[in-house]
Amino acid sequence: MDDSSISKLSDRVDFASKTILDWVEQDQPITVVSHLDADGLAAAGIIGSMLERLNVAFKVRIVKQLDEDSLKELSSEPISPIIFADVGSGQKDLIYSNLPEHSVVIIDHHQPLEYELERCVEVNPHLFGIDGSRSISSSGLSYLVAKSVDLNNVDLAPIAVVGALGDRQDSGKRHNLVDLNESIVKEAVEAGFLEVKFGLRLFGFESRPIVKSLEYTIDPLIPGLSGNYNACLKFLERIGITPVDEDGNLRRMSDLSSNELRSFMVNLVKYMLSKGIESKEAESIMGTIYIISHEPPTSPLRDAREFASLLNACGRLGVPSIGVAICMGRRGEVLDKAEKLTSRYRQTLLKYLDWLSRNLDKVRQTRFLQVIYGGDYVDDRIIGTLISIALSSRILSPKKVAVAFAVSPEGKVKVSARADKALARRGLNLGLAIRDAASQVEGVGGGHDVAAGAQIPLNSEEDFIEVLDKIIAEQLGSE
C-alpha cells in the first residue's frame, strides 16, 4: 500500500461524497442497503448518521445476502439513489440487470467483479491495490466518505473501529488494527473519542466484573471456562485472585492491583497451554484494547470488541435495526434490547460450538476442505461466526479450508468458508474460489482471501464441494 494508492482511493472517496451531496441538493430520498454483520451495521450506522445530519430523507435496508430476490424488491420501489455498503462490489452484474436506471454508490471492501456499472461510483480499496481484508473495512470506508462530506463527522471514527474489529481486521502483531484502519484509530484518539491500551482481550474486560468477562469470552474459546460461571470463579480463586470484594460485589479489572493483573495474565495463558492450545494462540489472549471514551465505564459499548459482538448479535438474530440505531447514537431501551440479544447470541454460539466439538468425527474431509453440514440445526446467519471461532480456537484444523453449510428458512443453502492466513500466503484466494464454485452450481458468492460466503441451490452441496476442492488445488499449485 503506497501513497499513490491511498491518494487514488481518497479521490474516489471525494467523488462519492460529491455524488451523495448532489443527490441531497436535488432533494432525492436515498436508500441505504447494507449487510447484517457488525461491519455492515456499523457502515449503515455511519451513513445513516451522515444523512441524518444532512437533513435528507433516507431509509436503511439490511440484507442477509444481496441476491436476485433482494434486488427485485428494490426494483419494485420508486427509482431513487441507492448507497450499497458492505455489499455490491461482487454483485455489480446483478445490480445492473435489476436496477438499470438507478444511480448507485457502492462502498465495499470485498473483492470486486471486473464489471463496469453505469451511473455508479464504487469505493473499494481493491480497485487501487489496497487489501480490503486487512487494511480497511466497509465501515472504515463509509467513515472516510462521511468525513469527506463534513469534517465534523470525525466523531463517527469509533464506529468504524468497531466495524473493523467485527470483521477481524486486527491483524497486527499485537492484535491491533493496521494500515488505513490505524489511521482512523489515530484520528479518533487525537479527537478524544478513543483510547488505546494493551491488555487482556477478554469480553468486556473494561466494563464487566472479571469473572463475567472470563465467562463471556468465547472468541477465542477458553476450554472449561467459556460459558461456565462456577468454573471461572474457581479458576480465579485458585490463582489467588478474590473475585468478590468485602462488600460482596464482583470485582472489576479496575479493582485489581498490578500484581493481580499480571498474575491473571500469566496464569490464564498457562491454563490455555495446559488445555492443549498452542502457545501462539494462548498468548493471543493478550492484545490491543480499543476503548470508546465517551461511553460510561460499565457500558457494553465502551470496549469496541464488545460493541462489535453486540452488533453481530443484533444482525444475526434478526433485529439489525437495533444495531443500526445504536451506531447512530440511540441508547436507553434500544440498548437494553441489544444486551438481551447479546446474551442470547452468546448462548446460541456456545450451543453450536459444543455441537461441533461433539461431532468432529462427522466433519467430512476432502484433500483441501473440512466440511460441516449444519442443515437446519445451525442458523444460517450464524454459521460463519461458528466456523470462524472454531478455526481460531483450533477446534478445526488450520491446515485445511473450513466450509460449512446451513439451510435458510427460504430453502436456500448458505455457504460460509474460512481459512488460516498461512494458506493465503501459499496462494489461496477463498473469495475468488467461492465465487467461481458458486457460479458453477447457479449460486452467488465472494468475499476475501481467507473469509468468504455464498448462497447456492438446495441439493447442490456435493457438486459445490467437488468444484471448490479442484479450484483450491489449482490455487495452491497441487495436482
Side-chain angles (χ1 to χ4, degrees):
M1 187 179 72
D2 55 29
D3 290 344
S4 174
S5 297
I6 295 172
S7 177
K8 288 175 182 175
L9 174 61
S10 181
D11 288 344
R12 185 63 60 87
V13 164
D14 290 343
F15 186 25
S17 70
K18 182 182 181 302
T19 301
I20 293 167
L21 286 170
D22 286 345
W23 294 344
V24 173
E25 194 173 322
Q26 295 160 18
D27 202 25
Q28 297 192 62
I30 297 171
T31 298
V32 181
V33 179
S34 194
H35 187 237
L36 57 70
D37 69 4
D39 187 35
L41 297 188
I46 289 169
I47 295 167
S49 292
M50 175 191 75
L51 296 175
E52 188 172 59
R53 292 169 184 182
L54 290 169
N55 293 313
V56 63
F58 72 95
K59 61 183 176 183
V60 176
R61 175 169 292 179
I62 303 299
V63 297
K64 183 163 58 176
Q65 182 95 23
L66 189 63
D67 56 12
E68 199 86 39
D69 291 342
S70 55
L71 287 166
K72 278 180 179 174
E73 277 187 43
L74 287 169
S75 70
S76 67
E77 299 174 359
I79 294 175
S80 65
I82 301 175
I83 300 174
F84 290 100
D86 204 35
V87 290
S89 283
Q91 300 89 13
K92 286 182 283 189
D93 52 346
L94 291 176
I95 292 172
Y96 181 74
S97 61
N98 286 277
L99 306 169
E101 298 178 30
H102 287 66
S103 295
V104 167
V105 167
I106 294 173
I107 305 173
D108 196 1
H109 70 137
H110 298 95
Q111 294 175 101
L113 274 181
E114 292 182 9
Y115 185 95
E116 290 297 323
L117 186 60
E118 292 182 22
R119 289 184 296 283
C120 172
V121 181
E122 183 177 11
V123 180
N124 189 308
H126 290 282
L127 299 174
F128 310 102
I130 298 171
D131 185 354
S133 67
R134 295 173 182 83
S135 295
I136 191 165
S137 68
S138 292
S139 54
L141 293 166
S142 299
Y143 164 71
L144 295 182
V145 172
K147 197 179 65 157
S148 178
V149 164
D150 187 337
L151 287 174
N152 289 322
N153 286 328
V154 68
D155 66 324
L156 301 174
I159 306 299
V161 171
V162 169
L165 292 172
D167 240 34
R168 297 171 174 266
Q169 292 199 343
D170 50 343
S171 57
K173 289 182 179 179
R174 303 186 94 187
H175 285 277
N176 55 296
L177 296 169
V178 299
D179 299 339
L180 290 170
N181 281 323
E182 187 177 21
S183 299
I184 295 172
V185 168
K186 286 179 180 176
E187 287 183 6
V189 170
E190 288 170 4
F193 298 118
L194 197 69
E195 300 167 33
V196 181
K197 58 176 74 174
F198 185 79
L200 282 167
R201 295 190 309 124
L202 295 176
F203 186 91
F205 195 55
E206 287 283 326
S207 59
R208 296 180 183 272
I210 51 175
V211 64
K212 288 287 186 182
S213 181
L214 198 56
E215 176 196 2
Y216 289 170
T217 297
I218 57 176
D219 187 9
L221 190 74
I222 307 173
L225 295 181
S226 295
N228 191 329
Y229 179 79
N230 289 330
C232 293
L233 276 178
K234 290 175 183 175
F235 170 77
L236 290 170
E237 289 167 350
R238 191 168 68 248
I239 64 173
I241 295 176
T242 307
V244 181
D245 66 19
E246 295 174 353
D247 298 322
N249 299 314
L250 291 173
R251 296 176 74 201
R252 297 176 181 274
M253 186 271 291
S254 57
D255 299 323
L256 301 183
S257 68
S258 57
N259 285 337
E260 284 179 313
L261 187 57
R262 194 177 304 112
S263 173
F264 190 10
M265 288 182 177
V266 170
N267 282 288
L268 184 56
V269 171
K270 283 182 180 178
Y271 173 85
M272 293 173 76
L273 290 171
S274 74
K275 294 297 180 180
I277 296 172
E278 296 175 9
S279 59
K280 183 180 177 183
E281 303 305 320
E283 289 168 6
S284 76
I285 198 70
M286 293 182 288
T288 306
I289 312 296
Y290 297 92
I291 305 301
I292 300 176
S293 307
H294 63 272
E295 295 293 345
T298 59
S299 169
L301 308 179
R302 186 167 172 82
D303 183 319
R305 284 192 179 84
E306 185 176 359
F307 195 153
S309 182
L310 178 143
L311 292 184
N312 259 323
C314 293
R316 298 190 185 282
L317 291 180
V319 201
S321 58
I322 290 179
V324 175
I326 287 170
C327 290
M328 291 179 65
R330 312 306 195 258
R331 297 293 184 266
E333 186 180 347
V334 174
L335 184 54
D336 292 340
K337 289 179 180 177
E339 286 199 81
K340 290 174 183 175
L341 287 168
T342 303
S343 178
R344 202 172 106 212
Y345 179 63
R346 184 172 54 251
Q347 293 303 317
T348 302
L349 269 174
L350 282 167
K351 181 182 76 171
Y352 290 157
L353 284 162
D354 178 64
W355 166 81
L356 179 58
S357 298
R358 287 187 289 101
N359 289 279
L360 286 175
D361 58 326
K362 296 175 184 175
V363 174
R364 179 182 166 193
Q365 304 290 335
T366 71
R367 188 173 179 191
F368 295 100
L369 309 176
Q370 47 196 332
V371 184
I372 297 95
Y373 295 88
D376 57 5
Y377 175 73
V378 179
D379 191 318
D380 66 306
R381 297 167 299 192
I382 302 179
I383 192 80
T385 308
L386 169 64
I387 61 169
S388 288
I389 295 173
L391 200 57
S392 65
S393 301
R394 298 304 189 245
I395 294 171
L396 295 173
S397 169
K399 295 179 180 178
K400 290 184 179 182
V401 173
V403 179
F405 297 117
V407 179
S408 73
E410 299 80 26
K412 296 177 181 178
V413 176
K414 165 68 177 175
V415 184
S416 286
R418 301 290 185 271
D420 192 79
K421 290 172 185 174
L423 290 176
R425 290 193 288 270
R426 285 176 50 196
L428 176 73
N429 189 320
L430 200 49
L432 297 183
I434 289 287
R435 178 191 295 168
D436 190 2
S439 68
Q440 292 192 45
V441 295
E442 299 183 355
V444 293
H448 304 295
D449 55 357
V450 294
Q455 186 172 274
I456 61 175
L458 197 63
N459 301 320
S460 65
E461 296 95 320
E462 301 312 310
D463 290 339
F464 177 85
I465 290 169
E466 185 179 347
V467 172
L468 182 61
D469 211 39
K470 288 178 181 176
I471 293 170
I472 291 174
E474 292 170 3
Q475 287 187 351
L476 297 178
S478 303
E479 293 299 325

